[in-house]
Each structure stands twice: as C-alpha cells, then as structure tokens.
Amino acid sequence: GQSLEQPSEVTAVEGAIVQINCTYQTSGFYGLSWYQQHDGGAPTFLSYNALDGLEETGRFSSFLSRSDSYGYLLLQELQMKDSASYFCAVKNSWGKLQFGAGTQVVVTP
Amino acid sequence: GAGVSQSPSNKVTEKGKDVELRCDPISGHTALYWYRQRLGQGLEFLIYFQGNSAPDKSGLPSDRFSAERTGESVSTLTIQRTQQEDSAVYLCASSLLGLAGTNTGELFFGEGSRLTVL
C-alpha cells in the first residue's frame, strides 16, 4: 500500500519562507508531485521530482530524497494569495497517483 | 474542450438513489483518474484508467461504486444506492502519459461534481 504524511497546518507572515515536509511509504515509487488547492477550487500542479535534488520554479521549490522517502515544498516570499492547501502525491511505476491529506497554509499580514 | 469537463457540477439526491457523474478528459490524454474529496479533507483515490489496460480499481470504497471509460474518452462514475457518507466532491483528472518512463506527474483536474445525499 501507500501512505503519506504531511503537517496539517502551517501559519506564516507575508514575505516569510515556509517548508512543507512530506514523508511517504510506497511500493514501486516513481516520483513525488505537489499540488495547490484554493478553497472551492480544483487542485493545480506545482512541481514534480523523480530524481534526488531540488527543483526550482519561481518562488516555489521542491526537494526529493529517495533514500529517505522524504520530500518538501519550499514557499518563498510568501504572499497572501499563497493561502491554500498543499498536497504531496506519490506516483508509482504504474502511474497511479496517491495524495496526502494536505497542509493548510495560512498567510497573515 | 481546453480542459477537463465534469458534469453535473452539483447534484442533490435522496438516499438510496443511483447517480452518474461524467468526466470529459483533455483530448489525447491517455490516463484518467477519479478522486473523492470530503469537506476539508484530502483527495481519496478511487480509480485510475490508463489507455486500454485494465483499470486500477483499488480505491473504490464498496461495490456500490463503479466506473467505466470508453477508449481514451469519456468516463462515467456510478454510485448505486447512495448513502449520506457518499456526500463529497468527486474530482476527475487526466494526464497525457501516466506510465513510468515519462518525467511528468502533472494531472489536470476538472472543477468537480459536488454530490449531496439527503
């Protein structure tokens, strides 16, 4: 089976940096993805890591360590619009994508 | 269309009735996924279709749930004898390539079908 763990909520002020950790257990691991979901909206893709290391996309970066079954999403220069839920998701070799329970990020002025 | 389309956007039904939810994926996307999301919760995997291969049904919560897909096009999720605990948003997503060997994990989600069972 598959399981993912991430914190339920993180609060930070505008301009700060937030790191959301994700640990996973799965068979046939192929990659780790991150999605953002605003209240009432559909999830949208942020990043994908198949290899160890850091992927940077603007203010957001994602990291993966396959040996540690661990990854994180780094949000820099936080803005109010970044208030949302963030989900990590593991992809197995068959293509199935399993999501974590999500981390609610609250950005305060 | 340009994106994943789901219908109906909202459905209110009585306990015990059957419902059908429809998903039109992005044209050319071989992989199609259904997820359930209860209020304030994460995305619960239901079923995954990849091309003409047998679907991964490991997430369907009971035999009241079933899904079909015609080739690489429309998919229908059917819930029979609905129960109040089935109330949730049902999200469909499609992906260009779902198999290992690709280096993208990007799913494109529809806006969901909100199901309320009274």
Side-chain angles (χ1 to χ4, degrees):
Chain A
Q2 296 172 302
S3 69
L4 299 96
E5 289 192 11
Q6 54 181 125
S8 59
E9 185 172 321
V10 173
T11 300
V13 297
E14 272 188 296
I17 298 174
V18 160
Q19 179 172 316
I20 303 170
N21 298 321
C22 175
T23 57
Y24 60 86
Q25 285 186 313
T26 186
S27 55
F29 175 84
Y30 196 76
L32 184 72
S33 299
W34 290 91
Y35 286 78
Q36 178 192 61
Q37 186 181 34
H38 286 99
D39 280 349
T44 56
F45 174 81
L46 292 177
S47 68
Y48 176 70
N49 295 71
L51 303 176
D52 285 357
L54 191 68
E55 295 279 344
E56 297 181 76
T57 309
R59 294 187 297 112
F60 295 177
S61 302
S62 59
F63 172 83
L64 174 65
S65 169
R66 294 174 69 112
S67 60
D68 294 324
S69 297
Y70 163 77
Y72 66 72
L73 179 70
L74 194 70
L75 315 180
Q76 302 180 76
E77 301 172 17
L78 272 180
Q79 301 177 6
M80 295 298 292
K81 67 179 182 181
D82 298 330
S83 291
S85 291
Y86 294 81
F87 297 90
C88 60
V90 291
K91 181 179 179 181
N92 68 13
S93 55
W94 170 234
K96 175 181 174 180
L97 201 67
Q98 188 88 13
F99 284 76
T103 299
Q104 179 76 38
V105 171
V106 178
V107 182
T108 60
Chain B
V4 177
S5 177
Q6 292 188 245
S7 61
S9 55
N10 278 287
K11 176 72 176 179
V12 179
T13 190
E14 294 180 347
K15 177 181 173 181
K17 300 285 189 182
D18 297 352
V19 296
E20 278 191 359
L21 307 176
R22 177 186 169 105
C23 174
D24 280 279
I26 293 172
S27 178
H29 280 194
T30 59
L32 186 146
Y33 305 75
W34 282 98
Y35 293 88
R36 177 170 70 181
Q37 187 173 33
R38 293 193 170 104
L39 188 64
Q41 303 297 310
L43 280 70
E44 178 186 359
F45 171 80
L46 297 178
I47 189 168
Y48 160 51
F49 296 89
Q50 172 57 52
N52 294 317
S53 302
D56 181 339
K57 304 180 180 181
S58 60
L60 294 178
S62 76
D63 59 9
R64 295 187 297 105
F65 288 73
S66 63
E68 294 183 348
R69 187 182 186 193
T70 306
E72 295 182 355
S73 61
V74 172
S75 176
T76 303
L77 177 69
T78 301
I79 309 173
Q80 297 179 306
R81 306 180 301 282
T82 52
Q83 303 294 313
Q84 289 183 332
E85 63 262 28
D86 299 335
S87 296
V89 175
Y90 290 82
L91 290 162
C92 174
S94 69
S95 178
L96 183 57
L97 290 169
L99 293 172
T102 69
N103 51 12
T104 177
E106 183 169 7
L107 265 60
F108 295 83
F109 281 85
E111 293 297 318
S113 291
R114 180 176 299 279
L115 175 65
T116 303
V117 182
L118 301 177

